[in-house]
Amino acid sequence: MSPVNMDRRAFLAGGALAVVGGAVQAGPQNDRAATQAAGPGSYEICRNWLFQPRAGDAALQPGFDDSTWQRVTIPHANVRLPWHSFDDRSYEFISVYRRHFRPPAAWRGYRVLACFDGAMTASTVAINGHVFPEFRGGYTPFSFELTSHLAWESDNVLAVRLDSTERSDIPPFGGNIDYLTFGGIYRDVRLQVVPKTFIANVFAEPVHVLEAGRSLRVRCWIDGPVSPATRLRVDLSDNGSTLASTEAAADPSRTDYQELVIDRVGDVKLWDLTNPKLYDVNVRLTNADGSQHTYTTRIGFREARFTPEGFMLNGQHLKLRGLNRHQTFPFVGGAMPARAQRRDADILRKQLKINLVRTSHYPQSPAFLDRCDEIGLLVLEEIPGWQHIGEQDWQDLSVRNVGDMIRRDWNHPSIILWGVRINESQDDHIFYTRTNQVAHSLDDSRQTGGIRYLYNSELLEDVFTMNDFGFPLRPPNHPLYLNTEFNGHMFSTKSFDQVERVAEHTLRHARVHNQLASDPRYAGGIGWCAFDYNTHANFGSGDRICYHGVSDIFRIPKAAAGFYKSQCDPEEEIVIEPGFFWSQGDHSTAGGVGTVPICSNCDHLKIYVADRLHTEADPDRTTYGHLKYPPFLVRITDRPAWGDLKIEGYIAGKLVKTVTLSGRGVDAALQVLPDDQELVADGRDCTRVVLRLTDEFGNPRRMSSGAVSFHLEGPGEIIGNNPFALSGGVGAIWVRAQQTGGIIRLRAELQHLKPQEVTITVLPAEPEAV
């Protein structure tokens, strides 16, 4: 048998081979996973699925006539929706997916598994009419072994009956939840072809990270028979260059995992926020018959601990400044590919400048977590849920979710805390004793937290993680204390709201972070939230949107986002972000804009109106003295001669940046801004295209609207409304590549303004091997 290479998440990205209801827990595939056209390996099967909404169980049988079904690509939403004002019952139905394939002859003698990274919400999988037990849960991976049911000389049909209703027996359902789950196979699918004995999972744990003798403890879960002749080898490598190795014979008497330790890994660099250095761990298993299997995972050497003195990364104090993130997008819910998931991490770290994200309220895309590893964005990851605790079977599923989440993601250096409590739920001693025990038994390198809003609730976790929506904040009542939500529903704000509300929204985030910075017992805080999100009818603003974000649902920043951005050092980016929009008559009392914030990391500002110096300002250190870069509060109320508003920023007496807001009140230009210039022709790759109606200086016109019409030519399609009605002068669509290469030309038109055209190159993709 030939060697088999498997990436860190090609089969199981985290944990022992766990069978739950007949399902083998499997994690997502990394882009670097080895695929061999004719032999064993990892085979992506995201194209050429057939889909039928509201199909019955008969569609699980191989002979069912699917000739009229829709051909779709994974990730897939079971229905496209408007970005707001829709009924969640539109996606709550049972559908069926079918995938035809013929296994190559070279797979004979190997095991074949179908691996799903995520499908919402309950999946019944069948192969050639053999039906596996239902897998319940939409946020964690699962797989089933197909080997004994395959037809080697003819067509095979892999079918999935997907129940996307809000079933009360599956977390997070059973009560009210303030978000939507949507439906569809919304994460990747692949076939894994492995030897009879293979490495199911690897936990590579750096130890003694801050000491000279840094080590690497590697636990390997092996599926299949192990003999004294079975050998394991571990290599730690950096860009293909081996740094340290160890090998040993497997111990057949062990029924849990095999363990190897590299005692001294040499002069490896630490993973931190400014230099998130990553290394590969390659584990090779050699069986007695000569067959081999290699599992690769990626790690970083770092120590992350919550202490009574705050949060410490590699022994250095770090005040955590974060935002909560929902994974869903307009039009398709969670069914966005890796590029869009990774882009969210970039927006959070590189545009909003935060250092921590909470995956509220469930495990999120592996591609998102991969990007957090790569760019130095810390993560609090938690199990699915929202306030409600169900009966025993429901709780058992939640405990399983803890294990599935940790086994999938324990090699991510970005993850610093496991959330093992249902968000904002009541105390339940037995239930949460179980969730903590599972977390600590699987991963002794990370602490646990449990997000609550009850100040005096029972603490079973390591860190007291508290949603505190009042101000001033309550003082820490436990040695390890992290604020996990604030603001949010207390002050819902749209980007086009009246000027005083927009300004107050900005200052509320600044006030909380100022208090968090005032006391080292606060490890930091995670604002609610990064992006507006879809919700149920009994939440939000009456249009199925919670406008709680510092950015809108299209990931376009509101004024409050400027506060977070302004907290970076000027060496990274010089920031001047007005916490208002420029108008003379929008203030509720006396005209002008009143006293408003300007968020900046400059040390002095000069404000001009109609080219005349109106005022100068220094940071408001009296009110916000604990912030490194306090906002400037500027009073503009005495009706100066009207004109453009110019803000000059100075550092150490030197002019470093100028921002100008138009006083003309005219829609000057339509901007059409794709995030990416190239896509891959795999039928799922896509990029956001931001729409901005601006003044002559490029600032969004927040009171402007209009319908943008699109014409697309080339191998792509629009995800979104066409025409698209701008909201607050902005919006976005997504452009998805089809399965042929070429050039996409997207033309956008808005009445009275010059049409805009952008081009996106679609590069050929390798065909799927199966």
Side-chain angles (χ1 to χ4, degrees):
M1 293 177 118
S2 59
V4 179
N5 296 319
M6 184 177 294
D7 185 83
R8 58 201 170 103
R9 287 194 317 267
F11 179 64
L12 277 180
L17 187 63
V19 180
V20 180
V24 182
Q25 303 305 291
Q29 175 195 17
N30 181 271
D31 293 337
R32 298 174 296 150
T35 299
Q36 304 172 39
S42 179
Y43 292 83
E44 202 169 73
I45 51 167
C46 291
R47 305 175 219 173
N48 299 314
W49 283 83
L50 301 175
F51 172 73
Q52 181 65 37
R54 297 175 173 85
D57 288 349
L60 296 178
Q61 298 305 312
F64 186 86
D65 182 6
D66 56 19
S67 59
T68 62
W69 285 26
Q70 179 186 359
R71 189 173 296 272
V72 301
T73 302
I74 307 300
H76 179 256
N78 64 358
V79 62
R80 293 271 181 97
L81 296 164
W83 66 272
H84 67 154
S85 300
F86 60 86
D87 191 336
D88 60 273
R89 289 173 294 185
S90 300
Y91 64 76
E92 289 185 40
F93 56 83
I94 296 172
S95 58
V96 175
Y97 293 80
R98 289 166 62 91
R99 177 61 154 81
H100 294 257
F101 69 97
R102 178 170 295 196
W107 291 7
R108 287 182 181 270
Y110 291 90
R111 299 169 65 180
V112 180
L113 303 103
C115 303
F116 296 81
D117 289 345
M120 196 65 70
T121 299
S123 303
T124 301
V125 177
I127 178 69
N128 297 330
H130 174 82
V131 180
F132 296 99
E134 181 184 64
F135 180 84
R136 293 183 293 158
Y139 296 104
T140 54
F142 59 95
S143 72
F144 296 95
E145 182 165 357
L146 311 182
T147 313
S148 62
H149 308 289
L150 291 175
W152 292 98
E153 305 297 338
S154 60
D155 181 53
N156 290 256
V157 178
L158 179 65
V160 182
R161 177 189 181 273
L162 188 59
D163 185 349
S164 299
T165 62
E166 296 188 355
R167 285 175 35 178
S168 61
D169 62 326
I170 303 174
F173 306 120
N176 287 320
I177 57 171
D178 179 23
Y179 57 94
L180 299 183
T181 54
F182 299 93
I185 302 178
Y186 74 103
R187 292 180 184 162
D188 291 353
V189 186
R190 72 204 156 277
L191 297 177
Q192 294 298 136
V193 184
V194 295
K196 292 180 179 179
T197 298
F198 67 98
I199 304 169
N201 202 352
V202 167
F203 182 17
E205 179 189 355
V207 293
H208 309 304
V209 168
L210 301 185
E211 301 176 11
R214 293 170 187 155
S215 303
L216 182 65
R217 178 191 180 196
V218 180
R219 282 165 276 185
C220 308
W221 282 261
I222 297 176
D223 185 84
V226 173
S227 75
T230 304
R231 296 195 63 81
L232 287 163
R233 176 183 173 90
V234 176
D235 293 307
L236 176 69
S237 63
D238 181 13
N239 292 320
S241 176
T242 300
L243 304 179
S245 301
T246 190
E247 61 180 304
D251 182 355
S253 67
R254 295 204 63 157
T255 58
D256 47 4
Y257 54 81
Q258 304 288 326
E259 182 172 321
L260 292 85
V261 176
I262 300 179
D263 287 322
R264 292 185 177 272
V265 297
D267 188 23
V268 297
K269 297 179 180 178
L270 296 182
W271 185 97
D272 60 28
L273 304 191
T274 57
N275 182 29
K277 178 62 179 175
L278 297 170
Y279 294 92
D280 286 328
V281 176
N282 305 291
V283 184
R284 187 176 72 233
L285 179 147
T286 302
N287 292 305
D289 62 1
S291 64
Q292 293 184 336
H293 180 230
T294 299
Y295 188 109
T296 299
T297 190
R298 195 169 62 173
I299 66 166
F301 286 80
R302 61 102 183 99
E303 182 182 84
R305 302 299 294 174
F306 289 84
T307 76
E309 291 74 40
F311 176 73
M312 302 289 176
L313 182 63
N314 298 329
Q316 301 296 314
H317 181 264
L318 175 68
K319 185 66 75 170
L320 297 172
R321 185 178 67 252
L323 290 165
N324 288 269
R325 181 223 186 206
H326 272 298
Q327 69 174 7
T328 52
F329 292 80
F331 314 119
V332 296
M336 279 288 184
R339 185 186 300 274
Q341 303 288 346
R342 293 168 63 87
R343 175 67 60 179
D344 265 13
D346 285 341
I347 290 171
L348 295 170
R349 184 76 180 110
K350 298 182 178 183
Q351 295 182 22
L352 300 182
K353 311 296 185 181
I354 64 172
N355 57 30
L356 173 65
V357 60
R358 172 181 165 217
T359 66
S360 51
H361 303 285
Y362 38 77
Q364 297 188 1
S365 164
F368 176 77
L369 297 176
D370 282 344
R371 189 59 177 161
C372 292
D373 291 342
E374 295 163 2
I375 62 177
L377 177 59
L378 302 173
V379 178
L380 187 172
E381 188 172 38
E382 66 181 346
I383 57 174
W386 202 84
Q387 295 190 346
H388 170 75
I389 298 175
E391 300 300 326
Q392 187 63 49
D393 184 57
W394 192 101
Q395 294 179 32
D396 292 343
L397 279 181
S398 287
V399 173
R400 189 203 73 188
N401 285 336
V402 173
D404 290 354
M405 173 181 72
I406 293 174
R407 285 188 291 263
R408 190 192 74 165
D409 292 331
W410 52 17
N411 288 319
H412 287 284
S414 58
I415 296 176
I416 60 170
L417 192 65
W418 299 122
V420 299
R421 182 181 172 117
I422 302 299
N423 175 70
E424 294 187 341
S425 59
Q426 299 295 308
D427 288 343
D428 190 313
H429 181 84
I430 295 174
F431 178 33
Y432 290 132
T433 296
R434 292 177 66 199
T435 61
N436 276 276
Q437 188 277 328
V438 169
H440 286 126
S441 66
L442 289 173
D443 182 5
D444 55 4
S445 69
R446 289 180 179 87
Q447 293 160 301
T448 62
I451 285 71
R452 56 184 36 87
Y453 71 98
L454 302 170
Y455 187 63
N456 295 312
S457 73
E458 181 184 24
L459 177 62
L460 296 172
E461 303 80 31
D462 300 308
V463 183
F464 196 82
T465 44
M466 176 71 184
N467 292 351
D468 189 350
F469 293 99
F471 189 83
L473 301 172
R474 294 177 176 184
N477 59 350
H478 291 279
L480 313 183
Y481 193 96
L482 173 67
N483 288 70
T484 42
E485 290 184 31
F486 52 84
N487 289 341
H489 68 281
M490 304 296 289
F491 207 76
S492 176
T493 304
K494 305 169 186 66
S495 59
F496 51 86
D497 274 339
Q498 187 254 9
V499 63
E500 287 152 296
R501 190 170 190 90
V502 170
E504 175 64 12
H505 188 223
T506 302
L507 290 176
R508 287 191 175 207
H509 283 271
R511 289 188 198 109
V512 172
H513 280 287
N514 182 68
Q515 183 177 347
L516 294 171
S518 72
D519 188 335
R521 294 177 300 164
Y522 294 112
I526 312 172
W528 189 266
C529 57
F531 313 127
D532 295 344
Y533 58 96
N534 293 120
T535 191
H536 288 89
N538 54 331
F539 296 95
S541 295
D543 63 346
R544 300 304 183 97
I545 296 278
C546 277
Y547 293 93
H548 300 170
V550 301
S551 300
D552 67 20
I553 198 169
F554 301 101
R555 284 59 175 161
I556 299 170
K558 305 176 191 178
F563 164 72
Y564 288 89
K565 185 176 182 179
S566 71
Q567 297 307 295
C568 73
D569 289 334
E571 291 78 10
E572 181 180 350
E573 182 179 350
I574 297 170
V575 176
I576 299 177
E577 292 287 341
F580 61 96
F581 45 83
W582 180 230
S583 65
Q584 180 69 285
D586 197 49
H587 197 278
S588 62
T589 55
V593 295
T595 300
V596 290
I598 300 175
C599 298
S600 177
N601 51 14
C602 296
D603 55 38
H604 187 71
L605 298 180
K606 294 182 180 181
I607 292 90
Y608 297 79
V609 178
D611 293 325
R612 295 176 58 184
L613 181 64
H614 178 65
T615 190
E616 299 187 41
D618 292 323
D620 184 2
R621 299 194 181 279
T622 300
T623 308
Y624 303 97
H626 300 290
L627 292 174
K628 188 174 184 180
Y629 300 106
F632 296 70
L633 290 185
V634 180
R635 185 171 178 81
I636 311 175
T637 58
D638 56 350
R639 290 185 176 271
W642 188 251
D644 298 342
L645 177 78
K646 182 172 69 173
I647 306 169
E648 292 182 343
Y650 292 81
I651 296 178
K654 180 181 178 181
L655 176 64
V656 292
K657 187 168 184 173
T658 301
V659 171
T660 304
L661 307 179
S662 176
R664 293 176 60 216
V666 173
D667 298 337
L670 172 66
Q671 294 182 345
V672 181
L673 308 170
D675 286 336
D676 302 279
Q677 302 298 319
E678 292 183 345
L679 297 175
V680 176
D682 59 5
R684 56 180 174 157
D685 197 14
C686 72
T687 188
R688 181 184 60 158
V689 180
V690 174
L691 312 170
R692 301 171 85 245
L693 188 54
T694 70
D695 64 18
E696 64 269 32
F697 301 108
N699 304 293
R701 298 268 302 139
R702 291 303 191 181
M703 293 299 169
S704 295
S705 59
V708 180
S709 298
F710 303 101
H711 177 70
L712 185 146
E713 295 180 352
E717 65 167 319
I718 292 171
I719 299 176
N721 299 337
N722 186 14
F724 181 92
L726 298 173
S727 177
V730 299
I733 60 170
W734 278 257
V735 171
R736 188 170 77 167
Q738 296 175 338
Q739 295 189 40
T740 56
I743 302 295
I744 295 173
R745 291 181 173 83
L746 179 68
R747 180 181 174 87
E749 297 181 357
L750 181 62
Q751 191 176 17
H752 307 310
L753 291 176
K754 180 182 178 181
Q756 300 294 314
E757 184 172 297
V758 296
T759 61
I760 300 170
T761 300
V762 181
L763 304 175
E766 291 292 328
E768 289 189 342
V770 180

